[in-house]
Amino acid sequence: MENQNTVKALPVYVYRSPRLEDCTNGGVSASSDRLLLICEDGYVDAKTDDPTLLRLIKREFGGGTYLHAEPVNPDRGEKVIGPMFGGNYVSTSDSRFPSDYPIPVHDRYETREQYDLLSR
């Protein structure tokens, strides 16, 4: 019997550039090589408060569909702007993965001051 505090998830792996420093501002994909993506076909029972748990977001625009993953439980602290793309992707060779290409991870959060400074 599945607990209501668990979801089905698929293990995914983080792809990042070895030449760049952390561009996520401390996001979950900066510190983990393996994350969990909520997926109907998932085979891992993940707790809903797991900090490595991602959800898939689908957006329709420009005549196409854009996919990205974002943390279910971000550790925002004082960070209030986001989530936004931090430079890392997730994927897996598992055929249950919901995309034919790696999915960007939107796990960067910034304070208003950081956002204003970096957006000039």
Side-chain angles (χ1 to χ4, degrees), residues 19-37:
R19 295 179 186 233
L20 294 177
E21 293 184 23
D22 175 27
C23 297
T24 70
N25 200 22
V28 67
S29 69
S31 58
S32 296
D33 290 331
R34 180 180 174 269
L35 301 171
L36 296 169
L37 180 67

Side-chain angles (χ1 to χ4, degrees), residues 8-9 11 23-25 33 36 39 56 64 70 77 80 88-89 111 114-115 117:
K8 291 294 186 187
C23 297
T24 70
N25 200 22
D33 290 331
L36 296 169
C39 179
L56 186 66
E70 62 185 46
V80 294
N88 298 333
Y89 297 83
T111 63
Q114 289 172 319
Y115 181 80
L117 179 69

Side-chain angles (χ1 to χ4, degrees), residues 8-118:
K8 291 294 186 187
L10 186 66
V12 293
Y13 299 92
V14 177
Y15 298 101
R16 64 177 73 83
S17 173
R19 295 179 186 233
L20 294 177
E21 293 184 23
D22 175 27
C23 297
T24 70
N25 200 22
V28 67
S29 69
S31 58
S32 296
D33 290 331
R34 180 180 174 269
L35 301 171
L36 296 169
L37 180 67
I38 295 174
C39 179
E40 287 182 25
D41 294 332
Y43 59 90
V44 173
D45 288 326
K47 293 188 179 218
T48 55
D49 62 352
D50 185 335
T52 67
L53 189 61
L54 302 173
R55 70 173 140 241
L56 186 66
I57 305 296
K58 294 181 183 182
R59 292 199 172 113
E60 302 289 333
F61 67 92
T65 302
Y66 175 76
L67 300 176
H68 78 266
E70 62 185 46
V72 172
N73 300 296
D75 181 15
R76 295 181 188 178
E78 304 251 341
K79 302 174 183 129
V80 294
I81 307 291
M84 60 190 87
F85 182 53
N88 298 333
Y89 297 83
V90 291
S91 190
T92 182
S93 61
D94 193 309
S95 63
R96 293 170 281 200
F97 188 66
S99 176
D100 293 334
Y101 54 87
I103 297 173
V105 180
H106 287 212
D107 63 343
R108 180 181 174 91
Y109 293 86
E110 299 173 350
T111 63
R112 171 52 77 178
E113 293 77 23
Q114 289 172 319
Y115 181 80
D116 290 343
L117 179 69
L118 297 170

